[in-house]
Amino acid sequence: MILRILETSDVHGHLLATDQGGLVKQSALIKRLKKAALPDEQIITIENGDFIQGSPLAYFVNEEIHQPQILEAALDSVGYDVSLLGNHEFNYGKNFLEKSLSFRTTPIICANILGNDGQPYFGTPYKILRCGQYRVAILGLTTQYIPHWEPTAHLKGLKFVSAVTAAKKILPILRQKADVILVAYHGGLERDLKTNQLTEPLTGENEAAELAKLPGIDALITGHQHRQIADYINGIPLIQPGCFGEMVGEIVFEIQAGKVINSQPKLRSVEKEKADPVLTQQLEQVKSKLAAWLEQPVGKTETNELEIHDHFQARLKGHPFIEFINQVQSAAAEIDISAAALFNNQQPGFSDPVTISQIQANYPFNNGLAVLQISGADLKAALEQCASYWSLRNDQIIVNPAYVFPKIQHFNYDIYRGIDYTIKVSRPIGSRIIKLNYHGHPIAANEQLKIVLNQYRALGGGDFKMFSAAKIIKEIPIEMPRLLINYLKEHSPVKVGKTSNYQVIK
């Protein structure tokens, strides 16, 4: 028998067709493969999480018209056998998530997010499907690291257990019940596939390499890191299909006498697929409403200085757009020290007039803000960590390759407002901050300071261990897209100067 596994992951609300993909194209490919299946071929489809958040459409549906059922109906339309929860499913809070999932008919599997009774809170821990004469078990797991990114209020009554711990408990049961065992995990790899060397600190965020060591697993279906992977680990096929609806992950098994005798992992681009007409029609009405909403102007800048044309130079020398983000954060928190990042190299900045479309393009995340009470030592540690973003090659400043491979991490380089500091890249990592002043005086290690950060960073996201929930003294729950809109409306026309309080030198 041929068993074909098809996976989508990290769609992030990108349902509509783009040049590269979109769920409507993924759906077309999945349905085409199902229709073309041979008589001895069985197909299993898995949606691997981070589905309901991350695009203008998702924001519009969830925050503006309050109809999450539109997203859930789109997911159901594809015809998945099971679905998982990703970390971004929790961005709107547990109550919202429960409301959204109440519209989903696709079975949810999640073994390691537990309720107060110690039992899986969402759906069931696994699903066993009959595929011809064989039984195929799918174990569902989600990264345990979510409490490090989300406010406590978003996770009330939930406990997040290591994916490895949960798998060790359940796999012996599945080995008794099924012929083939698939582990679907909204998490990624913490080690290099070829060398087995660590590629990141062992925080528990990504545990796929540890999962691959467990006996009895026939495949690892992963996500979360937005990587494009089709390979083997410990002899087990592993896939991860990138993000934003651009790829479908696939593993093809040949099974004889209840045993896998051959496997082939691959990624399928959906770039040239024609959009699924059924799902396209289903989304037509919300698409037209979305387009009208996105074109609404919210303010004027009277300058093109907020447009970003060179992201490397913007991070290296500062940019008015980053200064503007920090300015909005400082105003919202009434705190003069603020830090913000350019999340990726696709952020366009603002042009005149600023529309909601531009807000969404620049700030697709629904993070609120938090004010922390930290020490001077904490601040310096954070700046030293940011300084590791840079490296030298042939006496030229470059981005440290560790921030580009295996996972792009531009979002972990923050630029600060309200302090004066200098990064000297030629010095060893951990001792690169050669100037750090606040209001004209050097900052002492024991000096107490207030700083405003987005919730992700405030909770230690990006492995910034000097920040934590324990240091939060105030939360601003209004999401940044809304804060930006409000600020632009109140302060239009906006003009911001270039960042001049920090330097990056050789």
Side-chain angles (χ1 to χ4, degrees):
M1 185 188 83
I2 299 299
L3 176 62
R4 189 185 303 270
I5 312 301
L6 300 174
E7 175 209 12
T8 63
S9 189
D10 299 273
V11 173
H12 283 290
H14 290 260
L15 311 187
L16 303 173
T18 66
D19 290 342
Q20 292 75 36
L23 184 71
V24 290
K25 290 188 175 183
Q26 291 179 310
S27 179
L29 173 62
I30 289 169
K31 290 177 180 178
R32 179 167 63 80
L33 291 174
K34 284 184 176 181
K35 188 175 181 179
L38 300 172
D40 68 338
E41 180 181 343
Q42 300 284 325
I43 295 179
I44 291 175
T45 52
I46 299 170
E47 208 308 295
N48 204 57
D50 274 7
F51 185 88
I52 68 170
Q53 180 277 343
S55 73
L57 172 61
Y59 184 92
F60 178 67
V61 165
N62 292 328
E63 295 285 298
E64 290 295 317
I65 63 174
H66 307 291
Q67 295 182 27
Q69 60 267 35
I70 292 173
L71 293 169
E72 299 295 354
L75 186 152
D76 289 335
S77 175
V78 180
Y80 296 105
D81 289 294
V82 295
S83 62
L84 273 68
L85 301 180
N87 51 296
H88 283 284
E89 258 70 57
F90 293 87
N91 285 172
Y92 300 103
K94 177 185 167 188
N95 291 341
F96 178 91
L97 178 56
E98 289 178 325
K99 176 185 176 182
S100 186
L101 295 179
S102 71
F103 298 106
R104 185 180 300 188
T105 59
T106 302
I108 299 163
I109 53 172
C110 187
N112 65 319
I113 301 178
L114 312 180
N116 288 327
D117 59 359
Q119 297 301 308
Y121 190 87
F122 297 99
T124 60
Y126 58 85
K127 182 83 172 175
I128 296 179
L129 303 175
R130 173 67 70 171
C131 295
Q133 60 183 308
Y134 303 119
R135 294 164 300 171
V136 179
I138 312 168
L139 172 61
L141 300 164
T142 298
T143 175
Q144 64 167 315
Y145 211 63
I146 293 170
H148 293 264
W149 303 315
E150 293 296 329
T152 303
H154 281 193
L155 309 174
K156 189 175 181 180
L158 299 177
K159 180 182 179 182
F160 294 78
V161 178
S162 160
V164 175
T165 300
K168 283 180 178 179
K169 181 178 178 180
I170 297 173
L171 283 172
I173 299 170
L174 298 184
R175 286 195 287 271
Q176 297 298 316
K177 293 185 174 185
D179 302 292
V180 178
I181 298 175
L182 313 175
V183 172
Y185 171 46
H186 188 87
L189 284 158
E190 70 278 31
R191 293 182 179 274
D192 185 273
L193 278 168
K194 305 302 180 187
T195 67
N196 199 41
Q197 295 298 308
L198 285 174
T199 54
E200 60 184 53
L202 290 177
T203 62
E205 176 183 353
N206 298 299
E207 300 180 278
E210 285 301 302
L211 286 169
K213 296 177 183 178
L214 303 180
I217 295 174
D218 293 296
L220 268 171
I221 294 99
T222 70
H224 180 57
Q225 293 174 311
H226 295 192
R227 296 169 64 185
Q228 295 182 2
I229 305 172
D231 211 325
Y232 293 88
I233 180 169
N234 290 355
I236 300 168
L238 177 146
I239 51 174
Q240 188 174 143
C243 58
F244 306 153
E246 296 179 3
M247 294 279 177
V248 171
E250 177 185 81
I251 303 174
V252 178
F253 291 108
E254 186 179 350
I255 302 173
Q256 288 185 6
K259 300 293 183 182
V260 173
I261 63 169
N262 191 30
S263 65
Q264 182 62 54
K266 67 183 291 187
L267 299 181
R268 287 179 174 266
S269 170
V270 301
E271 182 178 0
K272 296 182 179 179
E273 290 288 330
K274 293 183 178 179
D276 175 359
V278 174
L279 183 52
T280 298
Q281 180 60 38
Q282 187 175 313
L283 294 168
E284 193 60 38
Q285 188 175 12
V286 71
K287 179 182 177 182
S288 61
K289 292 180 180 178
L290 171 67
W293 176 71
L294 286 172
E295 291 311 308
Q296 293 180 34
V298 293
K300 297 179 71 67
T301 67
E302 292 191 346
T303 176
N304 289 326
E305 291 181 356
L306 298 187
E307 293 182 21
I308 306 171
H309 302 289
D310 187 327
H311 293 78
F312 175 85
Q313 290 295 326
R315 295 186 182 99
L316 183 68
K317 297 181 179 179
H319 192 278
F321 175 79
I322 306 172
E323 174 68 12
F324 174 70
I325 297 298
N326 274 322
Q327 189 172 305
V328 173
Q329 292 185 177
S330 290
E334 299 180 327
I335 298 294
D336 58 353
I337 304 178
S338 171
L342 286 181
F343 302 120
N344 55 52
N345 286 344
Q346 287 72 51
Q347 283 182 261
F350 292 151
S351 58
D352 188 45
V354 182
T355 63
I356 290 177
S357 177
Q358 292 181 45
I359 300 286
Q360 289 291 308
N362 283 286
Y363 217 103
F365 306 104
N366 282 11
N367 272 329
L369 301 175
V371 176
L372 288 77
Q373 180 96 33
I374 63 171
S375 67
D378 292 331
L379 178 60
K380 186 172 186 298
L383 289 167
E384 290 287 4
Q385 186 159 333
C386 290
S388 69
Y389 177 81
W390 302 109
S391 187
L392 285 178
R393 179 186 294 163
N394 299 326
D395 201 38
Q396 296 297 313
I397 297 175
I398 64 167
V399 175
N400 184 340
Y403 281 79
V404 180
F405 181 84
K407 177 182 176 182
I408 296 173
Q409 299 181 67
H410 298 306
F411 56 86
N412 278 330
Y413 177 70
D414 294 326
I415 293 176
Y416 282 70
R417 179 180 191 260
I419 56 173
D420 295 293
Y421 62 104
T422 300
I423 296 170
K424 189 173 178 63
V425 183
S426 59
R427 292 176 62 89
I429 288 176
S431 60
R432 290 180 168 181
I433 304 302
I434 61 172
K435 173 187 175 184
L436 178 54
N437 292 342
Y438 178 55
H439 290 181
H441 71 270
I443 297 175
N446 62 352
E447 186 172 349
Q448 293 300 297
L449 304 162
K450 293 183 175 66
I451 182 171
V452 58
L453 304 167
N454 66 47
Q455 282 278 1
Y456 171 79
R457 185 71 79 236
L459 291 167
D463 202 34
F464 280 72
K465 292 185 171 64
M466 68 294 301
F467 303 138
S468 68
K471 296 177 182 178
I472 293 176
I473 58 174
K474 177 183 177 182
E475 291 185 310
I476 302 165
I478 302 172
E479 298 90 349
M480 271 300 290
R482 178 59 58 190
L483 286 172
L484 290 169
I485 290 170
N486 293 346
Y487 189 93
L488 281 159
K489 285 182 176 179
E490 293 170 11
H491 296 87
S492 184
V494 171
K495 187 167 184 178
V496 183
K498 286 188 177 182
T499 307
S500 58
N501 63 303
Y502 92 108
Q503 286 184 297
V504 181
I505 62 175
K506 295 179 189 179

